[in-house]
Amino acid sequence: PDDPEEILRALLDARARASLVIATGGIGPTRDDRTREAVASAVGRPLRFHPGAENQVRAWCRRHRFLYRRAQRQQALFPEGAGVLRNRVGSAPGIWIRDRSGAMAVFPGVFSEMTAMFGGLIPRLRSLRPTSFATATLRSAGVGETRIDARIGPATRRFPQVEVTTLASPGEVVIQLRARGRAATRELSRCRRWMAQALGSDLVSERDVSLEEVLVDLLRSRGWRLATAESCTAGQVAARVTRVPGSSSVFVGGVVCYNDLAKEHLLAIPHAALARGGAVSRPVALAMARGAANRMRAEVAVAVTGIAGPGGGTSRNPVGTIHWAVVHPGGESSQTRKLAGGREKIRAHASCIALDLVRRILLAERSGSARHRA
């Protein structure tokens, strides 16, 4: 809660357990912004007006035509001796404190502001590190966290100096590696190479490159263009592809055809096919992919149709039933799965699988081409 005593207790508890504390929220211009008082109490310093912080707040007020009043001015109150973390997005500067107990960084609670400001903290964090260390991030897709953990589990015995953490999201698993000491970089590189071999085709990237970035690079290397046809995912596949800067060189466009009429008119799917098997079926998924490829003149097209819930399921097609199809120069592929979770989790998972299916097909096509040349 916005209670200085509660915030103070939380900060003191954190400082007792760690040499670095990062806090967000409560340093803005409103009456419920009470974190700065708690921070001052936690480090045992009085609050003073910081000239550098005040200049930042005044500059923000001028840009946005705000009067520099008492509410705005309170954002320049800093614990004595604290440094300023520049905020280029919002009005509240961040607070940086370093003393015998460690270091503390305090950011605004607005996520976009905190994200933009965090880069300014990195040089300060580097100065705190007690020893050399190395990190790496691998990304996998198509296999759940439990199976990934089982496959990379032996790494803890083979590379005891490397700490391994897995983080799962719908359809993807991120593997984080950390090592300390003089040999940190060498040990971490050995572990990363071993994991890449253990993961095989389930490995998306061993250098923290997203699934959509890898996909765009694969399409670009083949000179192929991609189109999407989506029903239950409602454009999420296309949205992920277009997150990548420069994706317009390989992404033609997408169609969101949420009902049968749209599928008929936008993708030229025969009414008989929809009536015979229903919109949630393998034949319709394939027809959607063919229609997208033909209408948008793309070499590769991926389609998704299914039931994300919470309603609409039947005994034949329960909630979570999803069909995918991909058409490409080498042929056609399709897949059917039943995904678990709520509506948004199913949609996110289905979008990820669509991208991963295309990635795997492109990898297989590239390997086939390489063998053919050999």
Side-chain angles (χ1 to χ4, degrees):
D2 296 318
D3 179 346
E5 293 301 319
E6 292 282 352
I7 299 170
L8 174 61
R9 278 192 286 271
L11 292 174
L12 291 175
D13 177 62
R15 296 201 95 199
R17 293 185 288 113
S19 58
L20 171 67
V21 176
I22 298 177
T24 61
I27 58 172
T30 59
R31 285 178 294 177
D32 60 348
D33 287 317
R34 313 296 299 277
T35 299
R36 68 184 73 254
E37 296 101 309
V39 170
S41 298
V43 298
R45 302 181 189 180
L47 285 170
R48 301 276 190 250
F49 280 101
H50 191 294
E54 191 166 20
N55 288 339
Q56 285 191 41
V57 178
R58 284 183 179 275
W60 184 90
C61 288
R62 284 195 298 271
R63 285 198 307 272
H64 295 273
R65 298 182 181 180
F66 268 78
L67 292 176
Y68 184 69
R69 292 176 173 168
R70 181 177 179 180
Q72 301 297 334
R73 190 168 184 253
Q74 79 171 22
Q75 297 172 106
L77 278 171
F78 273 46
E80 191 172 59
V84 178
L85 296 171
R86 187 174 179 83
N87 186 349
R88 299 178 184 275
V89 178
S91 63
I95 302 170
W96 169 257
I97 298 173
R98 187 173 179 182
D99 59 16
R100 292 181 180 178
S101 298
M104 188 184 309
V106 187
F107 292 98
V110 180
F111 183 72
S112 60
E113 296 182 30
M114 186 204 74
T115 304
M117 295 170 66
F118 205 85
L121 179 63
I122 301 302
R124 299 176 189 265
L125 296 185
R126 288 199 177 106
S127 70
L128 297 178
R129 62 186 183 184
T131 184
S132 60
F133 69 97
T135 64
T137 300
L138 296 85
R139 292 179 176 271
S140 68
V143 181
E145 185 178 25
T146 303
R147 288 174 61 187
I148 290 292
D149 187 63
R151 285 161 63 181
I152 66 174
T156 57
R157 296 189 299 273
R158 297 173 67 100
F159 309 98
Q161 295 180 354
V162 180
E163 180 185 347
V164 181
T165 304
T166 57
L167 305 169
S169 60
E172 299 177 83
V173 178
V174 173
I175 305 161
Q176 294 181 336
L177 310 180
R178 288 176 292 276
R180 297 175 182 271
R182 291 182 179 178
T185 301
R186 184 176 68 251
E187 280 298 293
L188 187 131
S189 295
R190 290 178 58 225
C191 181
R192 183 177 62 198
R193 289 195 297 269
W194 181 90
M195 284 191 174
Q197 289 186 336
L199 293 171
S201 62
D202 296 326
L203 176 72
V204 172
S205 166
E206 59 178 286
R207 300 193 181 277
D208 197 20
V209 180
S210 71
L211 174 58
E212 45 266 37
E213 288 177 287
V214 168
L215 178 57
V216 167
D217 284 343
L218 286 170
L219 287 163
R220 191 178 287 126
S221 69
R222 295 305 304 267
W224 289 351
R225 294 163 298 175
L226 173 70
T228 58
E230 304 180 60
S231 181
C232 61
T233 50
Q236 290 190 18
V237 178
R240 284 192 59 168
V241 174
T242 54
R243 285 179 194 169
V244 182
S247 56
S248 59
S249 64
V250 297
F251 183 67
V252 181
V255 173
V256 176
C257 42
Y258 217 61
N259 64 20
D260 289 359
L261 187 63
K263 291 178 176 69
E264 290 182 45
H265 285 276
L266 296 176
L267 297 175
I269 298 176
H271 177 77
L274 290 162
R276 185 166 53 249
V280 181
S281 64
R282 177 180 176 275
V284 168
L286 283 165
M288 288 170 62
R290 293 180 197 126
N294 292 334
R295 288 294 176 95
M296 287 177 269
R297 298 180 181 178
E299 288 80 9
V300 184
V302 60
V304 191
T305 180
I307 303 172
T314 64
S315 57
R316 179 183 174 185
N317 284 324
V319 170
T321 302
I322 309 292
H323 296 269
W324 298 264
V326 181
V327 298
H328 52 97
E332 298 179 344
S333 302
S334 64
Q335 184 178 123
T336 301
R337 288 178 60 180
K338 185 178 182 304
L339 305 181
R343 180 179 178 83
E344 291 310 312
K345 182 180 179 181
I346 289 172
R347 282 153 54 96
H349 197 169
S351 302
C352 178
I353 291 173
L355 295 173
D356 191 48
L357 282 173
V358 179
R359 177 188 72 89
R360 290 172 186 268
I361 287 168
L362 288 168
L363 285 174
E365 289 274 353
R366 187 171 67 178
S367 299
S369 297
R371 287 195 298 270
H372 180 71
R373 288 194 300 270

